[in-house]
Amino acid sequence: MSESQEIEVASSPEFVKELLPSAQRTALLYHLSYLCLAKFPKLERVLRERAVETQLLFGSSEALLLKCAATSKNLVSTLLPALKVAVEKDKSILAIKSLEKARVWISEIVDKVGQMVDRYEKHNRSVASCTSDVILEKSETEKKKAQTTREIEAQEKAVRDLEDQLKNNNEKIGQIEAKISEKNQELYNHVKESSSKSNGLSILSALVPFVGPIVKSISDAKTGPEAAAKTQVLSSELTQLSIEKSSLMGKEWSIQVRMTDMQLKLASMKIENGSIPDPVHLNDVQKCLSRIQNILIQLQKFWESVGVMLEALKDETFANEDFIEEIELKQTFLDSITSAQGHWKTFGECCLNAKSIFSLQTKDAYKFLETSPSALTPEQWKKEYETVIEDLNKISPDPFNPKAPAPIAPIAPAPIAP
């Protein structure tokens, strides 16, 4: 591959699994916002419209991920077998035609993901507008209300304290992520240098856009004790940083659940006092939508990188028919293609899993919109609230570590009169 071509690679083909907690949390936060707006039918209606828009957007995301899975399947069942035939029969023109076909598939996905990212951007602005509507209505209502009680003020202070904890924790996560990014780049540079010294690794790195399999190949292959030792050290350092990040993510999630619970108690106290609560859960909805948008941007960059890799393979590997005439090199190439098929199969399965996530969200997660919170009795409202908090406790912040944080016992809110 071209040394001058800068590309981004995925550390794992399972990065799309990060969609799960954000997609789940989005629906639950909408549900909490909906409950908080009981007795304010105008705001209920606006929120319902935004939630339905999100549901439709998730439906489109489901279709997009299905296309990613289908393209991965085509790579496994069509492109890579065609490359095998080309290598076996010394037909470089056949290989070039196959790679050109793959380029068309990938360009289409990159365009569609870009369009989806733009839709998330537009929708997030729509949710922000809804938040502004709530704030405006709240301001007008507050003019008619007396000063908040000491109990409300104490609850507000508790929420602020948790916000400070969350801010400090997020700063630590940011520092860890910067270290992970730096270490990832160091590992990638080492992998690139090591693979360039071995035909087998060089071919595999051209076919598999994931660092993990190349790292394993360096460790397994006889690349020299120094290269293998450095690979092991860098991998161990990355693993340790990932463990630290996972721990901080668990802490972040625990704080968020506690804060959500306190915010909802505060909301119920303010509603009971005749006030509109702050639209904090809508702010969290925006954050979740932004996370999903960022993961889609990663997906777009990933496919762009795949396109660069295949283009380089076409231009450099098959530019000269004599390149694959050596029997030993030919077998190495065939083995690399077989390995690549397995990794692409895994990526396709991850896309299908993510697709099923959005499918569940569009089917079941927004049924709460069918009933107005204003129609709930205080007992029904309290029960629905506790159910949402329980569901929030079950969500794992780290899709690679399914152990969820310790459940937070809900604080029973003041009943809301319908």
Side-chain angles (χ1 to χ4, degrees):
M1 291 184 62
S2 173
E3 292 296 323
S4 62
Q5 189 73 58
E6 289 297 325
I7 61 173
E8 291 194 21
V9 294
S11 59
S12 166
E14 300 183 338
F15 66 94
V16 291
K17 284 186 178 179
E18 296 175 24
L19 291 165
L20 175 59
S22 292
Q24 289 177 318
R25 190 171 171 81
T26 298
L28 293 171
L29 290 169
Y30 265 130
H31 197 162
L32 291 180
S33 298
Y34 201 52
L35 288 172
C36 288
L37 295 177
K39 294 201 242 179
F40 301 98
K42 176 184 174 182
L43 296 176
E44 279 183 41
R45 177 182 56 78
V46 174
L47 180 66
R48 188 184 294 111
E49 290 174 355
R50 298 294 88 77
V52 169
E53 287 174 4
T54 300
Q55 199 174 9
L56 293 173
L57 189 58
F58 281 4
S60 298
S61 300
E62 176 189 352
L64 177 63
L65 285 162
L66 183 60
K67 185 169 185 63
C68 287
T71 300
S72 300
K73 183 178 180 181
N74 284 338
L75 288 171
V76 172
S77 62
T78 304
L79 172 66
L80 295 177
L83 286 179
K84 276 187 176 181
V85 172
V87 172
E88 289 168 345
K89 297 185 177 181
D90 298 331
K91 300 291 185 182
S92 60
I93 294 178
L94 174 62
I96 290 172
K97 287 183 178 178
S98 300
L99 290 167
E100 181 60 26
K101 184 183 294 185
R103 186 192 65 78
V104 174
W105 297 339
I106 291 166
S107 295
E108 185 178 348
I109 285 185
V110 169
D111 290 342
K112 288 187 178 297
V113 176
Q115 293 169 13
M116 188 61 63
V117 169
D118 291 341
R119 285 183 61 185
Y120 270 90
E121 180 70 27
K122 181 179 179 181
H123 181 56
N124 225 338
R125 289 198 296 268
S126 179
V127 175
S129 176
C130 178
T131 305
S132 298
D133 291 341
V134 175
I135 292 172
L136 179 61
E137 188 81 10
K138 170 182 168 62
S139 176
E140 294 176 354
T141 304
E142 287 299 312
K143 293 176 182 177
K144 305 173 185 177
K145 299 303 301 177
Q147 186 176 0
T148 56
T149 63
R150 290 183 179 179
E151 185 180 357
I152 290 177
E153 290 174 349
Q155 190 70 12
E156 287 175 336
K157 182 181 183 302
V159 170
R160 286 196 300 271
D161 290 343
L162 282 176
E163 287 174 344
D164 289 339
Q165 291 181 36
L166 188 61
K167 180 181 177 182
N168 292 334
N169 195 72
N170 286 341
E171 287 175 355
K172 292 179 181 178
I173 290 176
Q175 294 168 2
I176 290 290
E177 287 178 338
K179 291 179 181 178
I180 288 175
S181 178
E182 181 180 342
K183 194 61 62 178
N184 258 326
Q185 187 60 49
E186 185 179 350
L187 178 60
Y188 174 64
N189 291 338
H190 171 64
V191 165
K192 185 167 65 172
E193 180 183 354
S194 298
S195 63
S196 66
K197 297 176 182 178
S198 168
N199 282 332
L201 292 176
S202 178
I203 293 168
L204 184 61
S205 65
L207 291 169
V208 180
F210 313 115
V211 170
I214 315 300
V215 169
K216 186 178 185 305
S217 297
I218 290 175
S219 300
D220 294 343
K222 296 179 180 179
T223 54
E226 186 176 341
K230 184 173 181 180
T231 302
Q232 183 61 43
V233 169
L234 290 173
S235 298
S236 298
E237 290 174 349
L238 263 176
T239 299
Q240 184 58 42
L241 287 171
S242 296
I243 291 172
E244 291 179 33
K245 180 182 175 182
S246 180
S247 174
L248 288 170
M249 286 177 68
K251 184 177 180 181
E252 175 195 15
W253 208 262
S254 176
I255 294 172
Q256 283 181 335
V257 172
R258 287 162 57 200
M259 191 163 66
T260 296
D261 188 55
M262 285 191 176
Q263 287 169 337
L264 197 56
K265 182 183 178 184
L266 179 61
S268 67
M269 291 163 63
K270 288 187 175 182
I271 292 173
E272 189 68 17
N273 197 39
S275 301
I276 299 176
D278 293 323
V280 288
H281 307 307
L282 284 178
N283 292 334
D284 288 340
V285 166
Q286 289 177 249
K287 292 176 184 176
C288 287
L289 291 172
S290 293
R291 285 180 180 177
I292 294 173
Q293 182 186 21
N294 288 334
I295 294 168
L296 290 177
I297 290 172
Q298 288 182 50
L299 190 63
Q300 184 182 30
K301 290 181 178 179
F302 166 78
W303 281 110
E304 288 172 347
S305 296
V306 174
V308 170
M309 286 179 167
L310 294 183
E311 191 68 20
L313 192 66
K314 183 184 74 173
D315 291 344
E316 298 178 17
T317 305
F318 294 100
N320 184 349
E321 291 188 30
D322 296 334
F323 184 84
I324 52 176
E325 284 187 353
E326 295 180 25
I327 294 177
E328 184 177 347
L329 183 57
K330 181 180 293 187
Q331 187 56 50
T332 300
F333 205 114
L334 292 173
D335 291 343
S336 295
I337 291 174
T338 300
S339 179
Q341 284 178 304
H343 298 303
W344 275 109
K345 184 174 182 292
T346 299
F347 177 70
E349 290 169 352
C350 290
C351 288
L352 284 178
N353 288 337
K355 175 257 180 192
S356 65
I357 291 166
F358 282 109
S359 179
L360 289 173
Q361 292 297 306
T362 55
K363 181 181 178 183
D364 299 323
Y366 291 83
K367 284 188 175 181
F368 65 88
L369 295 173
E370 297 172 4
T371 304
S372 169
S374 301
L376 299 174
T377 64
E379 292 76 17
Q380 289 172 327
W381 191 98
K382 182 175 181 293
K383 182 179 180 181
E384 198 162 317
Y385 151 74
E386 290 174 346
T387 299
V388 176
I389 290 295
E390 183 179 346
D391 289 341
L392 276 170
N393 269 312
K394 293 176 182 177
I395 299 175
S396 172
D398 183 356
F400 306 108
N401 178 15
K403 183 180 178 181
I408 304 300
I411 304 171
I416 297 178

